[in-house]
Amino acid sequence: MHPRLPLPEAGGGEDLETFFVWLREAIPQVAHYGIQQPAWDDSVLSWRVALADNLNDKGTGFGGALAGETTLLGWCWTTLWLRAQGRAQDVVIAEGQQRFLAPVTTDYHMQCFPLEADGIARLDTALSEKGRGRIKLVQRVYCGDTLCMEAQGSYAVLK
């Protein structure tokens, strides 16, 4: 098990660059995805990805890499949200699905946010009452303005 990254200071917010340096060490596959410019805005986590790092034999985005990246994006969303709450708990994906809508032909950007408007509040309540909970998240992959892939995942926060 990789050592946990210390929680950010209360009210100080997460340093995304520090988090991603740690993440690349904790999950070696992350270094191969070509993730750039992570950003956390309100309840949306986003980042840009270099297509060159994720090509298939047809010169488009490799579906397996895209599936892995969307899963990782949801895991990061949940982990960063927990850290902002001062909680150091493990997160796992419980279930997920993907829909490939158009080929990924250029560098792309991804975003992740809760599926349900009350998802964050429900997770917060479950954590307060049971010490564990789940949240459903949506991940979207865009080439420019074109939606190329949409994924959904249910992420479990363990005790």
Side-chain angles (χ1 to χ4, degrees):
M1 185 172 186
H2 198 78
R4 285 190 191 272
L5 184 65
L7 288 170
E9 293 183 27
E14 183 74 65
D15 176 358
L16 288 179
E17 195 55 43
T18 299
F19 178 78
F20 274 88
V21 167
W22 170 84
L23 187 64
R24 287 180 195 103
E25 292 175 9
I27 305 174
Q29 181 62 37
V30 173
H32 301 283
Y33 282 145
I35 296 169
Q36 307 160 1
Q37 302 173 335
W40 182 268
D41 184 22
D42 192 24
S43 62
V44 178
L45 177 62
S46 62
W47 58 49
R48 299 197 170 279
V49 184
L51 175 61
D53 295 321
N54 298 286
L55 287 172
N56 64 20
D57 60 317
K58 295 160 204 63
T60 61
F62 174 56
L66 295 167
E69 290 162 2
T70 57
T71 300
L72 177 67
L73 184 61
W75 181 90
C76 287
W77 187 100
T78 309
T79 300
L80 289 166
W81 181 84
L82 286 167
R83 292 172 58 74
Q85 311 310 306
R87 300 176 85 86
Q89 290 179 255
D90 287 326
V91 175
V92 297
I93 186 162
E95 60 182 280
Q97 61 185 20
Q98 300 93 29
R99 289 183 331 139
F100 297 89
L101 305 167
V104 173
T105 57
T106 64
D107 291 352
Y108 50 100
H109 64 277
M110 305 175 73
Q111 57 181 216
C112 179
F113 51 88
L115 173 67
E116 301 158 330
D118 65 343
I120 293 173
R122 288 179 31 210
L123 176 59
D124 195 37
T125 298
L127 292 171
S128 295
E129 292 176 357
K130 302 177 197 171
R132 60 184 167 81
R134 281 191 186 203
I135 188 164
K136 293 178 182 176
L137 299 172
V138 174
Q139 301 89 25
R140 291 188 176 149
V141 177
Y142 293 91
C143 288
D145 293 331
T146 302
L147 178 60
C148 297
M149 178 185 176
E150 183 172 82
Q152 291 184 14
S154 176
Y155 292 81
V157 179
L158 308 177
K159 265 189 174 178

